[in-house]
Amino acid sequence: MLVLITYDVNTEDAKGRTRLRKVAKQCVNYGQRVQNSVFECILDMAQAKMLKASLLEIIDTNKDSLRFYYLGNSYQNKIEHFGIKETFHQEGTLIL
């Protein structure tokens, strides 16, 4: 299923900047960045739970926010993109 993950990490201090890097690094391990703090991840339910748990360990819930949007398996018709920075289809063929 496609899971859209968005986050906003308070970076007013060094700890916040460290949390931001850790959150981004975790998300990169599971999907592709589509905007600065937005990732599209193709995950099964177990992977989604593991990623959610690891991100919740990183963020400070008193200063940061984290959102998960579960778009399911039929997500292709739910996404429209306009403008620059076209992304690749994660489940399609990738030629390097």
Side-chain angles (χ1 to χ4, degrees):
M1 77 177 139
L2 178 68
V3 180
L4 187 72
I5 301 171
T6 67
Y7 55 87
D8 187 17
V9 176
N10 183 315
T11 58
E12 292 177 352
D13 59 17
K15 288 182 181 180
R17 291 185 290 278
T18 299
R19 288 194 311 275
L20 178 65
R21 285 189 299 276
K22 287 181 179 180
V23 168
K25 187 173 182 179
Q26 276 296 324
C27 290
V28 165
N29 290 335
Y30 286 88
Q32 69 174 328
R33 183 187 300 259
V34 293
Q35 292 188 358
N36 285 340
S37 296
V38 181
F39 282 81
E40 290 178 351
C41 304
I42 303 293
L43 307 169
D44 60 32
M45 193 53 80
Q47 290 171 316
K49 287 182 180 182
M50 286 176 27
L51 179 55
K52 183 170 136 182
S54 67
L55 292 175
L56 287 172
E57 287 181 15
I58 296 169
I59 70 164
D60 180 342
T61 56
N62 294 315
K63 297 180 180 180
D64 310 327
S65 69
L66 178 64
R67 296 178 73 106
F68 286 77
Y69 297 88
Y70 299 94
L71 299 179
N73 292 321
S74 301
Y75 60 87
Q76 291 86 354
N77 297 330
K78 298 176 184 175
I79 300 171
E80 289 185 310
H81 176 141
F82 304 96
I84 63 171
K85 200 174 180 182
E86 188 66 34
T87 59
F88 65 92
H89 181 58
Q90 294 183 55
E91 295 180 310
T93 302
L94 179 61
I95 299 173
L96 300 173

